[in-house]
Each structure stands twice: as C-alpha cells, then as structure tokens.
Amino acid sequence: SQQGEEDPQALSIQEGENATMNCSYKTSINNLQWYRQNSGRGLVHLILIRSNEREKHSGRLRVTLDTSKKSSSLLITASRAADTASYFCATAARDDKIIFGKGTRLHILP
Amino acid sequence: EAGVTQFPSHSVIEKGQTVTLRCDPISGHDNLYWYRRVMGKEIKFLLHFVKESKQDESGMPNNRFLAERTGGTYSTLKVQPAELEDSGVYFCASSHGGLAGYYEQYFGPGTRLTVT
C-alpha cells in the first residue's frame, strides 16, 4: 500500500520565495526522509528526521514531523533556480524498506 | 568517500534480450537496496540485501528478475528476458548496518533501462 503522499503534486514559485511541500503517510515509521531528484539525475538525500524528532534544519531546509497526524512538511526558504527539481518524501519502518511518495515537482521562476 | 555507483547509466535493449545492472555500494555498507521507478509512477522497493543475504525480496515483480550480491560487496540485477514494461530507472542504495530504518540510505544515480 502506498505510504508517503506529497502535496501539492506541482508547485511554481518566484525565485526568493519560500516553498512548502507536505507529505502524509499511513503507518508507523522509524524515520522519514526527503530526497531531491533533478531532471535526469539520481536521488539526492536532503534530510532525515526520526520518529522521536519534531523539527530539523539543514541550511535553507526545514523539516517538521507530526507523528500524531502522520504528516511532514519540507520548507525551502529563499528559493533559487537550482532548487527546481522533484522532491520526494520516503518513510522507513522497522523492516528498513523505504516507501516513496509520487513526489512534488517544484519549479522556481526567475 | 566514494558514493554509490551504478553501471551502466543507460541501457537500451530489445524485448526478449537480457540485461545486467550493477551496483557498487559505499564501502563498508552492509545494506544494499534496489528500487525502480517506472515512467509516471512512484519509486518502488524491489529488494534488500544484508551483506550477501536477501533480507527482503517482496518487491521483485516476477521471476524474470534475479539479484545477487556475491561476497557481500557489489550487486547485480539481471532481467531475463526483458519485457517492455521493465523500462524505467533502476536505483541502488546502501546504508550502514544496524537498527532497521535508523540510517539514511544513499542512492546511486540510477540506470535508465529502455526496452524496445
């Protein structure tokens, strides 16, 4: 069964604005991870947040996790053209298997 | 530290032929995973090795797919015979051993497989 599900499916914002993407999941997890995929390239790991953490920062990225609502958000502040990519949330449960959502396509407008 | 590498980066084969994909994990990583993204769909888990043993192969689509990890180092994924629906991007990932779901998985760049 599908686990992570990102929202929105696509997002276009002006350069310099903040971008927020959300992810909802269905079952208990050990951690939740966000990945980025630039067109035609591999997956780049952005940030991992464990089930006992509520918020994590990495540079211009801020991730929150609400296990009671089974949801997470990824905030990219001061967006840049290079942030244009697809963003995926992925959940890992006890069996170590990562389950990906379908992703959010983010387009940064100049 | 070298990342996860995959070979080839792109493979175009005809239906019915055989293709073997290779993944070299990060040195020292016991866990190795294969994932696949078929056009327009989400990335899906195929299988998980812990060292040379298959821990979970529940995501393997059918018996045309065979994964091996001899010696617990690199892994191969063979598709024989390939079908049109096998086209997609095959990702490999590796992580440290230990508590399940605790360590991040590092992904390779993927192999784009096109079956014509």
Side-chain angles (χ1 to χ4, degrees), chain A residues 12-77:
Chain A
S12 292
I13 61 172
Q14 293 294 135
E15 190 170 10
E17 292 182 337
N18 296 342
T20 300
M21 288 160 274
N22 302 298
C23 169
S24 60
Y25 58 92
K26 296 178 181 175
T27 61
S28 296
I29 60 171
N30 275 2
N31 66 58
L32 185 145
Q33 303 173 52
W34 284 91
Y35 290 85
R36 182 186 72 220
Q37 185 181 26
N38 293 87
S39 179
R41 298 189 180 181
L43 290 162
V44 174
H45 184 269
L46 296 177
I47 201 163
L48 179 153
I49 186 166
R50 305 198 193 287
S51 59
N52 61 352
E53 297 175 311
R54 292 296 167 258
E55 187 171 312
K56 210 161 183 181
H57 297 256
S58 177
R60 294 184 295 113
L61 306 180
R62 172 176 169 258
V63 168
T64 62
L65 178 64
D66 187 335
T67 52
S68 66
K69 295 181 179 178
K70 291 186 169 57
S71 67
S72 173
S73 68
L74 170 66
L75 169 67
I76 303 174
T77 60

Side-chain angles (χ1 to χ4, degrees), chain B residues 15 20 26 52 60 67 69 77 106:
Chain B
K15 177 182 171 181
T20 300
I26 292 173
E52 66 275 10
M60 295 287 264
R69 192 183 182 196
L77 179 64
Y106 295 85

Side-chain angles (χ1 to χ4, degrees), chain B residues 11-106:
Chain B
S11 179
V12 181
I13 61 173
E14 292 183 352
K15 177 182 171 181
Q17 289 185 322
T18 297
V19 63
T20 300
L21 314 180
R22 173 171 170 145
C23 167
D24 286 78
I26 292 173
S27 178
H29 281 189
D30 288 339
N31 294 294
L32 187 149
Y33 310 81
W34 284 97
Y35 296 86
R36 175 174 78 167
R37 187 180 192 194
V38 174
M39 181 68 72
K41 299 194 175 181
E42 61 266 32
I43 302 165
K44 287 200 170 178
F45 168 85
L46 295 179
L47 87 159
H48 170 204
F49 284 100
V50 177
K51 297 183 180 178
E52 66 275 10
S53 300
K54 291 176 185 174
Q55 181 77 9
D56 181 353
E57 51 184 330
S58 61
M60 295 287 264
N62 51 62
N63 59 10
R64 294 185 294 104
F65 289 75
L66 175 64
E68 294 180 323
R69 192 183 182 196
T70 307
T73 54
Y74 71 91
S75 174
T76 58
L77 179 64
K78 180 190 287 188
V79 185
Q80 179 183 30
E83 297 289 344
L84 297 177
E85 64 263 26
D86 300 333
S87 295
V89 181
Y90 290 77
F91 292 101
C92 173
S94 71
S95 72
H96 286 288
L99 188 64
Y102 194 77
Y103 294 100
E104 67 182 80
Q105 295 184 17
Y106 295 85

